[in-house]
Amino acid sequence: MEKEILTTIGIVFMLASYGVYLYSIFKGDTRPHPFSWFVWGLLTAIIFFAQLSGDAGIGSLITALSAIISFFIAMLGYLKRGDITISSSDKWIFALSLLAIPLWYFTETALWSVILITLIDGAGFYPTYRKSWHNPDQESSLSYVLGGLKHLFTILALENLSIITALFPFSLVLTNFGLITLIFIKKRGLKSV
């Protein structure tokens, strides 16, 4: 019952995070980088299947829902609101993310795919970090705080803690709070000028 409660708390943080982010998009305050969100959706979907193979249990539900919503935000970013500049580094990140699938197939373990995906996902944050460095007001800090908390509860809700099940959400705790820190520093620096 404890894991179900932790999963529910994680889902509440997830819905709050994405709700704030979507509201900010429709209000016109946030412009998501569609390529980052597409890559995050793809990688999160692969991680969901890796978590299933690692017996993550009900905690993997948060990961599955995150993948679906990430694809939706990517679509919104591309079609309506966001920065659609796709650099060559963005294309490399996408190509590398697709390598996780054959890597898993040929090694017959999700471990190396999870490690590769975690590294790629960190790199997938680069376009959003880059955009936020130049335009810190185009991202919702509250959404990333809630997202970081969501990933923390994902870890707590996992029925089997291992590198396969926990590395990815742990890295997302770090990258979400890293982005919040960058935005805070940039906004503070702009106010002092």
Side-chain angles (χ1 to χ4, degrees):
M1 187 62 152
E2 176 185 333
K3 297 298 182 182
E4 289 83 359
I5 292 169
L6 292 169
T7 299
T8 302
I9 293 169
I11 289 172
V12 167
F13 277 118
M14 178 191 67
L15 293 175
S17 169
Y18 288 132
V20 167
Y21 199 79
L22 288 168
Y23 176 75
S24 185
I25 291 169
F26 287 111
K27 191 176 166 193
D29 293 338
T30 297
R31 295 180 176 190
H33 193 285
F35 211 74
S36 283
W37 282 98
F38 180 78
V39 169
W40 293 333
L42 176 65
L43 296 176
T44 304
I46 295 169
I47 287 294
F48 166 68
F49 290 108
Q51 286 179 336
L52 286 181
S53 77
D55 298 322
I58 193 164
S60 64
L61 179 60
I62 302 168
T63 305
L65 294 173
S66 292
I68 292 166
I69 295 171
S70 293
F71 284 130
F72 178 72
I73 291 172
M75 183 186 67
L76 280 179
Y78 184 76
L79 295 176
K80 297 188 177 207
R81 308 263 182 203
D83 172 5
I84 58 171
T85 305
I86 300 173
S87 69
S88 59
S89 63
D90 297 341
K91 292 174 187 174
W92 275 104
I93 290 167
F94 175 70
L96 287 172
S97 66
L98 294 177
L99 287 176
I101 298 167
L103 180 64
W104 186 351
Y105 177 78
F106 289 115
T107 63
E108 298 180 1
T109 177
L111 175 63
W112 294 109
S113 290
V114 168
I115 292 169
L116 177 64
I117 287 171
T118 301
L119 293 171
I120 293 167
D121 186 72
F125 260 87
Y126 174 73
T128 300
Y129 270 72
R130 180 184 64 220
K131 182 177 69 74
S132 297
W133 180 258
H134 297 291
N135 300 297
D137 291 328
Q138 290 185 356
E139 288 294 341
S140 168
S141 297
L142 177 58
S143 176
Y144 285 98
V145 168
L146 295 170
L149 292 171
K150 165 192 75 171
H151 294 296
L152 179 62
F153 277 94
T154 298
I155 295 166
L156 295 173
L158 294 171
E159 292 179 18
N160 179 27
L161 276 176
S162 68
I163 293 174
I164 290 174
T165 63
L167 179 64
F168 185 73
F170 177 74
S171 74
L172 287 169
V173 170
L174 297 178
T175 52
N176 274 275
F177 287 116
L179 182 61
I180 295 160
T181 303
L182 177 140
I183 291 169
F184 176 76
I185 290 168
K186 279 302 283 186
K187 284 183 177 180
R188 192 165 188 192
L190 290 174
K191 287 180 183 177
S192 66
V193 173

